[in-house]
Amino acid sequence: MRYLIVGAGPAGVIAAETIREWNRDAQIILFGNEPDPPYSRMAIPYWLVGQIDEAGTHLRRTPEHYHRLGIEVRHERALAVDPARRTLSVERGEALHYDRLLIATGSRPMRPPIEGMDLPNVESCWTLADARRIASKACDGSRVVLLGAGFIGCIVLEALAARGVSLTVVEREDRMVPRMMDATGGELLRSWCNNRGVRVLTGASVTAVAKRGDKLNVRLDTGEDLVADLVVCATGVKPNLELAENAGLETEAGVLVDEYLATSVPGIFAAGDVAQGPVFGTSRRQVHAIQPTAAEHGRIAALNMTGKKTAYRGSLSMNVLNTLGLVSCSFGEWMGVEGGDRAQIVDREASRYLRLELCDNVLVGAIGLGFTEHVGMLRGLILSKIPLGAWKERILSDPNQIAAAYLECARA
């Protein structure tokens, strides 16, 4: 059996390892189109602030890891899939036959269609190569404008602030991290950042970037001009769908997969940021571009590729951020569900906020700021669907009772 895996991120690496665990004789080839060993993009901010070296970003400690497992890693771009012939054409001119193929091509950063975004010193922060360029320019005291205050933007914000730059963040939505925080949470986070020397402008858009001597001039739709040594763009990502689309796979926002991570074409599976798969507790299929989902996708896809039929429970929307010392999180249906109940409590002075979403007698979603002790508990309650029983009414009256409810209900 020959297994080909396109994409050397967490989904691809875990899939390759899982296949080897269940098939000792198979040929496994893992394709990545970057020159570095397989690495975690989520580790890049830690490298930027010097908490780890480049080796610390690698998904596995040594290159020998893959060799020892008999996994061939190729730094080569995959060009086309021919499902009829079951072949994958690659950059060096080969057309390799596969018995099973996994598409784990991930995603890439989006840049808004703004004049000047192709100028020198305008960078994304997505690859190790991007990070090396940013590190050479984001020095103590340099002026940096960060476009985007979503999940990725806030991770980059943390790293840039730790490098001692003078940082201004521009977010076109009306709040920070709009896909994980409501208006209350987003505003608390913005105030927290502003009070710690990071200027955050929400509801503002960049209209143009231009050269200004040896600097950059960033024009806002408010009429304000920002002078910068470096502009970092973190305005979202989009799945790398081209390989799948050209092969005739069914796609929407991502490659559509069933509960076994199988695509619409026999023998081809998809995992990670590129896959639009089942969502936990719902009938929806969505792209969840987070590393825990990618890791579980890779494992489940590999099991099914080796004939170990295993259904995927569905991905849980979950985000945890530490922004200048304030921990925020959101899980599941944090925006609420039709016919559900809501309990919330806010302490603006302490930057603490808890919002709980319930349906029938279970917790289905939550938002938390400053409640570090609740992060694992909230996730556990949602995933386990533990009935809250009589605790539901107590929680609706006082959301702080969620911790006591968890301890008692989990023991029952």
Side-chain angles (χ1 to χ4, degrees):
M1 291 281 285
R2 175 184 278 175
Y3 296 88
L4 302 184
I5 300 171
V6 184
V13 167
I14 289 172
E17 293 169 339
T18 305
I19 290 168
R20 177 57 72 220
E21 181 181 351
W22 290 98
N23 190 328
R24 291 293 178 184
D25 301 319
Q27 182 182 14
I28 305 170
I29 307 177
L30 179 67
F31 292 90
N33 61 6
E34 295 183 48
D36 298 289
Y39 66 90
S40 168
R41 301 194 194 284
M42 300 309 296
I44 287 175
Y46 300 101
W47 176 79
L48 274 173
V49 298
Q51 293 181 10
I52 58 175
D53 58 14
E54 278 203 15
T57 69
H58 298 168
L59 288 167
R60 300 297 177 257
R61 290 184 179 274
T62 66
E64 291 75 25
H65 171 82
Y66 304 99
H67 178 72
R68 190 178 73 252
L69 291 177
I71 298 169
E72 182 181 353
V73 179
R74 293 195 189 183
H75 302 282
E76 185 176 4
R77 189 178 301 275
L79 301 179
V81 178
D82 186 335
R85 292 184 172 84
R86 289 203 171 204
T87 59
L88 175 72
S89 298
V90 294
E91 207 166 19
R92 295 173 191 170
E94 292 178 274
L96 298 169
H97 177 269
Y98 65 83
D99 293 290
R100 299 288 185 273
L101 171 67
L102 178 66
I103 296 179
T105 46
S107 52
R108 62 180 180 271
M110 295 188 296
R111 285 200 177 189
I114 297 170
E115 180 183 354
M117 291 300 289
D118 56 347
L119 288 171
N121 296 331
V122 178
E123 303 287 354
S124 298
C125 187
W126 191 243
T127 67
L128 273 173
D130 294 335
R132 294 178 190 118
R133 291 191 297 271
I134 290 171
S136 69
K137 301 164 187 173
C139 306
D140 189 18
S142 61
R143 289 174 289 185
V144 180
V145 174
L146 172 63
L147 309 188
F151 184 80
I152 294 171
C154 282
I155 293 174
V156 176
L157 180 161
E158 176 85 5
L160 291 171
R163 293 183 68 85
V165 306
S166 175
L167 182 60
T168 300
V169 183
V170 182
E171 169 56 53
R172 69 177 183 177
E173 300 289 343
D174 62 355
R175 63 190 186 276
M176 295 181 71
V177 282
R179 290 177 177 80
M180 69 171 281
M181 284 287 135
D182 61 8
T184 300
E187 178 54 30
L188 285 171
L189 189 57
R190 188 186 70 86
S191 297
W192 177 274
C193 292
N194 285 337
N195 291 337
R196 281 153 185 79
V198 175
R199 186 185 182 205
V200 179
L201 305 174
T202 54
S205 295
V206 174
T207 59
V209 180
K211 292 187 68 175
R212 184 171 176 176
D214 62 346
K215 310 290 185 184
L216 292 169
N217 187 81
V218 181
R219 169 60 60 91
L220 305 183
D221 60 359
T222 61
E224 183 178 358
D225 287 332
L226 304 173
V227 178
D229 299 289
L230 173 67
V231 172
V232 179
C233 184
T235 53
V237 299
K238 61 180 178 181
N240 293 317
L241 289 173
E242 292 80 4
L243 189 70
E245 288 176 334
N246 293 337
L249 276 62
E250 189 178 353
T251 64
E252 289 180 357
V255 180
L256 288 167
V257 294
D258 63 15
E259 66 268 35
Y260 305 107
L261 281 299
T263 71
S264 58
V265 174
I268 302 179
F269 296 73
D273 291 9
V274 77
Q276 184 176 342
V279 177
F280 178 78
T282 77
S283 59
R284 302 195 307 270
R285 286 190 286 181
Q286 291 182 352
V287 174
H288 278 165
I290 56 176
Q291 187 159 315
T293 294
E296 188 66 359
H297 272 190
R299 187 182 72 84
I300 297 293
L303 288 172
N304 288 295
M305 291 167 74
T306 57
K308 310 293 181 185
K309 192 170 184 179
T310 308
Y312 178 51
R313 294 182 66 196
S315 59
L316 177 71
S317 175
M318 57 180 179
N319 296 286
V320 181
L321 279 171
N322 185 338
T323 310
L324 307 180
L326 179 62
V327 175
S328 58
C329 66
S330 69
F331 299 107
E333 305 293 320
W334 59 265
M335 72 299 293
V337 296
E338 186 176 353
D341 297 291
R342 177 178 303 158
Q344 56 188 4
I345 187 169
V346 59
D347 183 344
R348 297 183 186 279
E349 289 188 5
S351 299
R352 286 169 66 86
Y353 177 47
L354 184 62
R355 170 175 164 173
L356 306 174
E357 296 291 341
L358 301 99
C359 183
D360 296 327
N361 203 30
V362 299
L363 184 71
V364 296
I367 292 174
L369 273 85
F371 285 84
T372 54
E373 69 278 13
H374 286 26
V375 171
M377 176 196 67
L378 293 172
R379 178 177 179 270
L381 274 173
I382 295 168
L383 278 173
S384 63
K385 295 185 176 181
I386 295 174
L388 295 169
W391 280 100
K392 178 181 176 180
E393 293 304 319
R394 299 180 208 174
I395 291 166
L396 291 174
S397 299
D398 179 10
N400 286 313
Q401 294 295 316
I402 191 69
Y406 172 73
L407 291 173
E408 182 168 317
C409 294
R411 285 197 299 262

